[in-house]
Amino acid sequence: MDVSFLAPVFEAAGPFATVTADVTHTTESADTELDLRVRAIGEELTGQGAPEAVVEAVRGRLLEGNDGGEAGTIRGRAVVVAADGTVVLDEVLADVPRDAVVTWSPQPQLLPVLHQLAGRVPHVVVIADRTGADVSVADIAGHPEQEQQIEGDTFHMRKVKVGGWAHNTYMHTAENQWEENAGLVADELASLARRLPLRFILVAGDVRARQILSDKAGKAWADLVVTMEEGGRAAGADREVVTRRAAELVAEHEAHDQASAVEKIASAGAHGLAVTGTASVVEALRKGQVETVLLADPADDEELLVGASPLELGVDQADMEALGTQGTAVPADAALLAATVASAAGVVVVSRAAMPGDIPVAAILRYTDESTPTPQ
């Protein structure tokens, strides 16, 4: 995952309020329910010592759903606010947070945020009928899904029962119109597949529309298509089942990515292109060797020392003396993330149970030198 969007967080002065919240806004009493949830979050931050300016900044962002607009469609939201009340991170989560976070602490609590960002597995959801489709695109981590409607012609859309010479003409006209409408949707999917690193395209809706659309799938996206029978485009149709299926596919791809990253650590390590353990990763980050960092979630209580810049990083005071600087103790996960952003490396957040040997961190390297340590 590209984590360059975290740069404003690490450029700001702490302490920080970190909040992941349920901001669902779909019931008749949604305004009241959201207000109560946000009020409880504000009281918890105040109880932890957060100043009023910080609490008010958090409250203002989370209550945007009560004003309608795009914020009213979000189910989960992550907000980080710096000590001066500046919002330094505001990201959309894939769903209501599994484990809500409300903290006022010297460093932001970012691992739970990264693990739940919307769009972290780029994909498209299509709900099709014979006139067109509703298309939702999740392509950038933390950004809301972009939704669009593709509408074709409705002329002679129904196959009618007529007799005589006109029967085949009506049948042929309706089928042709379905094909043309599906072609418009297929063209848009082909464009998306060319421009975006899509992992899957979930197609739901009318059975004939799905069949025609699958038949029109081009080479760029045919292998990405997953179809489902449930869900429809008509008013009142159950779309929650489509949302759940998309979430399942995201989880499957994410689990595959985590497993692949762990396997890559083992295979790259055999060639000296991976390191494991905090000390080895810290050294590789200082030298700009790291391509991708694997961070275990949840993190442990380990701390690192950080100097004037994120890459002035050490595991003990001897490291800092070698760098000619003094260090401040920082939670290891926050220090490693800051160094990753500073070195333009990527991040994969891995469930702690999936990390080999219960190690907290590993890294795949861009290059090695004579001092590169061997994997632990």
Side-chain angles (χ1 to χ4, degrees):
M1 180 191 301
D2 178 3
V3 288
S4 58
F5 66 92
L6 295 178
V9 179
F10 296 115
E11 292 167 358
F16 298 86
T18 308
V19 174
T20 62
D22 174 2
V23 291
T24 306
H25 207 271
T26 56
T27 65
E28 290 184 2
S29 57
D31 282 10
T32 300
E33 292 170 358
L34 181 57
D35 185 70
L36 290 173
R37 290 196 296 269
V38 172
R39 185 181 304 175
I41 289 169
E43 290 173 354
E44 188 169 348
L45 286 173
T46 299
Q48 294 180 34
E52 181 57 30
V54 170
V55 175
E56 189 56 38
V58 171
R59 187 183 293 124
R61 289 299 175 98
L62 297 183
L63 283 174
E64 285 180 350
N66 283 353
D67 297 327
E70 188 176 82
T73 68
I74 298 171
R75 296 170 64 91
R77 193 166 185 174
V79 176
V80 178
V81 178
D84 63 356
T86 301
V87 178
V88 291
L89 187 74
D90 184 356
E91 299 288 339
V92 177
L93 303 181
D95 205 339
V96 172
R98 295 185 293 269
D99 299 304
V101 175
V102 181
T103 66
W104 171 248
S105 57
Q107 300 296 324
Q109 307 297 305
L110 295 173
L111 281 191
V113 175
L114 294 180
H115 220 161
Q116 301 178 79
L117 287 179
R120 62 192 185 278
V121 176
H123 65 274
V124 174
V125 175
V126 181
I127 304 179
D129 63 14
R130 302 181 192 190
T131 68
D134 296 334
V135 178
S136 298
V137 183
D139 62 332
I140 301 176
H143 287 210
E145 291 188 4
Q146 303 299 310
E147 298 185 355
Q148 60 176 304
Q149 291 183 333
I150 301 172
E151 299 291 354
D153 198 342
T154 59
F155 179 68
H156 283 164
M157 284 300 300
R158 295 182 60 193
K159 286 188 175 182
V160 295
K161 292 183 178 180
V162 294
W165 63 269
H167 178 73
N168 288 336
T169 300
Y170 276 101
M171 296 283 282
H172 184 67
T173 300
E175 187 72 26
N176 282 352
Q177 192 61 65
W178 298 347
E179 293 271 357
E180 289 180 13
N181 294 343
L184 295 175
V185 180
D187 289 345
E188 177 61 20
L189 294 179
S191 175
L192 291 170
R194 286 193 301 268
R195 294 184 286 110
L196 303 174
L198 299 178
R199 303 294 298 280
F200 66 86
I201 297 174
L202 177 62
V203 179
D206 177 86
V207 61
R208 183 64 182 128
R210 285 188 281 116
Q211 183 182 36
I212 296 173
L213 193 56
S214 296
D215 290 343
K216 290 183 174 293
K219 292 182 179 179
W221 57 282
D223 292 341
L224 302 177
V225 174
V226 179
T227 62
M228 61 181 294
E229 295 182 2
E230 299 90 344
R233 197 178 180 214
D238 182 12
R239 298 205 173 194
E240 187 63 29
V241 65
V242 182
T243 300
R244 287 197 301 269
R245 180 55 180 148
E248 290 172 358
L249 290 170
V250 167
E252 290 173 11
H253 280 273
E254 192 169 39
H256 178 268
D257 290 347
Q258 291 182 19
S260 296
V262 171
E263 289 176 6
K264 191 172 181 180
I265 287 291
S267 60
H271 301 283
L273 284 170
V275 291
T276 59
T278 304
S280 296
V281 173
V282 164
E283 181 179 349
L285 281 166
R286 284 199 304 257
K287 295 190 295 185
Q289 291 177 288
V290 175
E291 176 184 289
T292 304
V293 172
L294 276 68
L295 286 173
D297 182 32
D300 56 25
D301 295 329
E302 189 175 16
E303 290 186 332
L304 294 174
L305 297 175
V306 180
S309 72
L311 293 176
E312 291 181 356
L313 191 64
V315 295
D316 53 33
Q317 194 56 44
D319 282 349
M320 305 312 292
E321 290 173 359
L323 294 171
T325 187
Q326 296 294 312
T328 301
V330 172
D333 60 321
L336 290 167
L337 268 176
T340 300
V341 172
S343 59
V347 167
V348 177
V349 181
V350 179
S351 298
R352 192 60 181 258
M355 288 287 268
D358 196 36
I359 59 173
V361 61
I364 299 166
L365 305 182
R366 298 179 175 123
Y367 72 93
T368 63
D369 57 26
E370 293 180 356
S371 66
T372 300
T374 57
Q376 298 176 3

